[in-house]
Amino acid sequence: LHLCVFALAAIKWKVFLPEQSFVTLFRFTIIGQFYSVILPGQLLGEVAKAYRFSEGKSEKARIGSSVVIDKITGLTGLLIVAVVGAICTRTAVLGDWQIAISAGLIATLVLIFSLRFKGIYSFVTKYSPFSKTLSPIITSYHEYAKDTGLNARAVLIVILLQLLTIGITFIFANALGITISLFDWFWIFGLISILVLIPITIGGLGLREGAFISLLSFFAVEPLLALQLSLSIFACQVVVGICGAILDGYGWVTSQLRVKIQTEKGDAS
């Protein structure tokens, strides 16, 4: 099931790079997971994936832009699922925070969608205090966001991906005796997924576990059980990351051999 998540991620990436084969994108999606495990935060894993995939290619800017828009549409789908969960939850766990969390998630969604409009895009890139740092990312998104159908397909795939990921978490939780409604998992997993994007700890270790323990404590889940759940999910990511390391190593060795053969042919001629 976990590999199906990465297959869906590759399919979504192919929406923005239709000329690339699914097998190639799937391979680099797995490789990206390897870097997400060994680098601080998942965002740096995406940067590494873009760098490795664009090596030796002329369309580096387009590949980089595709990774940016792929991540932004991924965040959009994640937020949509989280908002649905925060609004539809039947438990009183969130209390007064329900409105605040829902409003914050919706506001982020509105901001993401609004950047497709030229006026708002120009205002943000000109007056935002982070405009110099985020300008390439915002510009890439603005160009891709003009195609509504393209983005709609990508977001729909993300929603399916998120539902599958949450389903895996739900299965793990039930196996550990943790009984939380599916709608609650929507917003819990959404908040945790946003948190592990922050490049603070290697592979999100500590952040993920702290978030699971804190959020599940509202449901009277023992810290040890919450920790076991978090580490079980991380273990799946590590297994995929090991596969990514093997694929990345194999790709590097074959590329070096190819360069050596070409050099020898050139010397011979």
Side-chain angles (χ1 to χ4, degrees):
L1 282 176
H2 205 61
L3 284 176
C4 290
V5 172
F6 291 92
L8 279 173
I11 291 172
K12 180 168 72 75
W13 194 10
K14 187 171 173 59
V15 170
F16 303 108
L17 291 175
E19 73 281 1
Q20 299 291 336
S21 70
F22 166 77
V23 174
T24 299
L25 295 178
F26 180 69
R27 180 163 68 91
F28 278 95
T29 300
I30 299 297
I31 289 172
Q33 178 59 29
F34 162 61
Y35 288 104
S36 293
V37 169
I38 66 170
L39 293 175
Q42 291 185 356
L43 286 178
L44 289 183
E46 294 296 311
V47 172
K49 178 179 75 175
Y51 174 77
R52 294 291 290 118
F53 184 52
S54 62
E55 279 186 317
K57 295 182 176 64
S58 57
E59 62 274 20
K60 287 181 171 60
R62 184 164 181 269
I63 291 172
S65 297
S66 73
V67 172
V68 169
I69 189 65
D70 180 67
K71 200 62 186 176
I72 291 176
T73 52
L75 179 60
T76 302
L78 172 69
L79 289 170
I80 290 173
V81 173
V83 166
V84 171
I87 293 175
C88 297
T89 179
R90 295 182 179 179
T91 62
V93 168
L94 290 179
D96 295 335
W97 284 97
Q98 182 173 6
I99 296 176
I101 291 174
S102 300
L105 293 172
I106 292 173
T108 306
L109 272 174
V110 171
L111 175 62
I112 291 174
F113 279 116
S114 66
L115 288 175
R116 63 178 297 177
F117 300 109
K118 188 175 181 179
I120 296 176
Y121 159 73
S122 300
F123 178 83
V124 171
T125 53
K126 186 175 181 179
Y127 296 106
S128 171
F130 306 104
S131 58
K132 290 184 178 180
T133 305
L134 300 179
S135 181
I137 296 175
I138 296 173
T139 300
S140 298
Y141 174 69
H142 177 68
E143 292 302 317
Y144 270 108
K146 295 175 182 177
D147 192 332
T148 303
L150 190 76
N151 284 274
R153 290 197 301 274
V155 170
L156 283 174
I157 294 172
V158 172
I159 291 174
L160 290 175
L161 187 153
Q162 288 301 321
L163 292 177
L164 179 57
T165 305
I166 291 169
I168 294 171
T169 305
F170 190 73
I171 292 171
F172 273 124
N174 282 343
L176 291 170
I178 300 173
T179 54
I180 297 175
S181 75
L182 201 55
F183 278 127
D184 282 315
W185 277 119
F186 283 8
W187 65 264
I188 291 171
F189 198 82
L191 292 178
I192 293 173
S193 298
I194 293 171
L195 186 63
V196 296
L197 290 174
I198 304 172
I200 296 178
T201 63
I202 301 297
L205 274 174
L207 284 177
R208 183 189 304 100
E209 287 65 43
F212 265 105
I213 292 172
S214 299
L215 292 175
L216 297 192
S217 67
F218 291 114
F219 298 87
V221 176
E222 294 181 6
L224 183 59
L225 284 178
L227 181 62
Q228 287 177 329
L229 176 60
S230 178
L231 292 178
S232 297
I233 294 170
F234 182 64
C236 289
Q237 296 174 349
V238 169
V239 170
V240 177
I242 292 172
C243 295
I246 294 171
L247 290 172
D248 196 34
Y250 175 77
W252 183 83
V253 170
T254 53
S255 65
Q256 293 300 308
L257 288 174
R258 195 178 300 114
V259 169
K260 184 178 180 181
I261 291 172
Q262 290 175 349
T263 303
E264 290 176 350
K265 286 183 177 179
D267 293 340
S269 61

